[in-house]
Amino acid sequence: MKILVTGGLGFIGSHTVVELQNEGFEVVIVDNLSNSSINVLDGIEAITGKRPIFEEFDLRHKPKVQDFFQKHADIAGVIHFAASKAVGESVAEPLLYYENNLGVLVYILQELKKKEGANFIFSSSCTVYGQADQMPITEAAPVKPAESPYGNTKQVGEEIIRDTCKVNPELKAIALRYFNPIGAHPSGKIGELPIGVPQNLVPFITQTGVGLREQLSVFGDDYPTEDGTCIRDYIHVVDLAKAHVAALQRLLEDKNESNYEVFNLGTGKGSSVLEVIHSFERVSGEKLNYKIVGRRPGDVIQAYADTQKANKVLGWKAKSSLDDAMKSAWEWEKIVRSSN
Ligand SMILES: NC(=O)c1ccc[n+]([C@@H]2O[C@H](COP(=O)([O-])OP(=O)(O)OC[C@H]3O[C@@H](n4cnc5c(N)ncnc54)[C@H](O)[C@@H]3O)[C@@H](O)[C@H]2O)c1
């Protein structure tokens, strides 16, 4: 079965393409390389022994999206990763984010709606919950006002899909709310490739570990948590990738209970910033240079998932520990640096 993976050369997309090909799916990737490298195709091929079909174009170009779906009329499902994801940039350039994250979503849904049956998986985020009132966070927790245009694109994106599914019973969709994806493929062939200064904790840690960054700033140690630093749910990207295959199979096998469903994807375990640093030091044997600085605006105190719905309904569970994920991130960082 042929599956379109938009943004399939990116961090989560590339790991998902590997898992899809391992399960025998034929994958077509569309990516404009705005935040990825063409070399990722080699990595995917080296791991799976198969080179996915690749079409390089910008999905903001509506006629190209239309032509694509005409050419590939046999697409059985779409996993839509392509988006812009830098929170700070979204504050400075909101229209770029609304165009890329919502305009493109609309173009794809317009094409899927024309098909006799279509299966759609959307990359959403735990940012939709903001600072949730209760931990762990279930899918029933209310969506809180977004802190940034990026966060808003995930909330509105979910609403667009929900409203479209309501009036198009032939369209089936699942929104996956990721917690904090980290790590890299154990083969060392693909991983996260942040352009410029990393926005996320783990790539910043590993880049500091290899000496590319001088020091990690820990934003605040006076939060109401055990060690005073913020708590997140860090999930190994390979576990996350496997959840996409499980979600897609649920739709392809008509096992879904309604034509729009939402699942949290996390480990269910919260880890503080200091715990992540200690995990890095344990698996790398390196001492990390970090300092505590003031709080950063917009950071929630804690967010970790209640994963029961995904565990029971999707039959999927995250398997890797924080140490496993940190080890893979560290190995990947060393490979990237030695090849530069
Ligand atoms: N990484 C995270 O922490 C995280 C957390 C929650 C949700 N998400 C969401 O998951 C998805 C994938 O995230 P990622 O970390 O793999 O990001 P990424 O930037 O590594 O991958 C996105 C890919 O999409 C491509 N792309 C972007 N705009 C495009 C366009 N207009 N046309 C064609 N290709 C385009 C980029 O070149 C890139 O390869 C995004 O929707 C993101 O918002 C990510």
Side-chain angles (χ1 to χ4, degrees), residues 180 230-234 269-272 299-304:
N180 296 71
C230 290
I231 290 176
R232 299 287 181 272
D233 184 340
Y234 296 94
K269 187 181 175 305
S271 303
S272 73
D299 275 342
V300 301
I301 305 162
Q302 54 177 348
Y304 54 95

Side-chain angles (χ1 to χ4, degrees), residues 10-255:
F11 174 41
I12 308 168
S14 58
H15 290 82
T16 302
V17 170
V18 165
E19 297 307 322
L20 285 168
Q21 293 200 156
N22 283 345
E23 291 298 318
F25 288 101
E26 185 186 3
V27 175
V28 187
I29 294 174
V30 172
D31 203 300
N32 66 353
L33 304 179
S34 58
N35 199 33
S36 52
S37 156
I38 190 71
N39 299 335
V40 175
L41 272 180
D42 297 335
I44 294 170
E45 187 176 3
I47 299 168
T48 62
K50 197 173 173 219
R51 201 169 182 85
I53 304 167
F54 175 55
E55 296 210 10
E56 182 183 339
F57 69 90
D58 192 327
L59 289 154
R60 286 176 295 185
H61 198 282
K62 186 172 176 174
K64 284 193 180 154
V65 175
Q66 292 171 325
D67 288 351
F68 175 89
F69 278 96
Q70 252 174 18
K71 182 169 148 200
H72 297 279
D74 54 343
I75 294 251
V78 177
I79 307 185
H80 181 43
F81 293 103
S84 304
K85 62 167 184 178
V87 173
E89 186 188 42
S90 80
V91 176
E93 296 273 4
L95 292 179
L96 193 117
Y97 276 67
Y98 289 122
E99 182 185 31
N100 204 30
N101 296 9
L102 297 179
V104 169
L105 173 65
V106 170
Y107 300 158
I108 293 174
L109 291 175
Q110 282 170 333
E111 294 310 303
L112 292 185
K113 170 169 129 47
K114 293 179 196 162
K115 290 167 83 76
E116 272 176 18
N119 302 296
F120 184 71
I121 311 279
F122 178 63
S123 295
S124 190
S125 165
C126 67
T127 86
V128 301
Y129 298 118
Q131 180 56 74
D133 304 323
Q134 278 178 336
M135 293 296 135
I137 305 172
T138 71
E139 289 81 354
V143 168
K144 295 265 177 89
E147 293 274 352
S148 69
Y150 168 74
N152 204 29
T153 65
K154 294 303 175 191
Q155 297 192 359
V156 177
E158 287 193 5
E159 287 168 5
I160 290 173
I161 300 165
R162 187 201 57 207
D163 292 347
T164 310
C165 283
K166 214 179 272 173
V167 289
N168 292 280
E170 297 244 336
L171 174 63
K172 294 182 284 176
I174 290 180
L176 297 174
R177 293 176 176 164
Y178 313 154
F179 280 66
N180 296 71
I182 61 166
H185 198 268
S187 64
K189 305 279 183 207
I190 54 172
E192 192 169 6
L193 282 171
I195 294 174
V197 181
Q199 310 280 316
N200 293 333
L201 176 64
V202 171
F204 208 108
I205 289 179
T206 55
Q207 289 195 2
T208 308
V210 287
L212 193 66
R213 314 265 155 222
E214 205 187 317
Q215 194 173 47
L216 170 80
S217 295
V218 175
F219 298 107
D221 68 348
D222 56 352
Y223 285 98
T225 62
E226 210 154 292
D227 63 25
T229 63
C230 290
I231 290 176
R232 299 287 181 272
D233 184 340
Y234 296 94
I235 174 169
H236 196 305
V237 65
V238 173
D239 280 329
L240 189 70
K242 289 185 172 156
H244 289 75
V245 180
L248 182 69
Q249 269 159 346
R250 175 172 174 81
L251 295 183
L252 292 171
E253 291 164 16
D254 263 326
K255 289 190 175 149

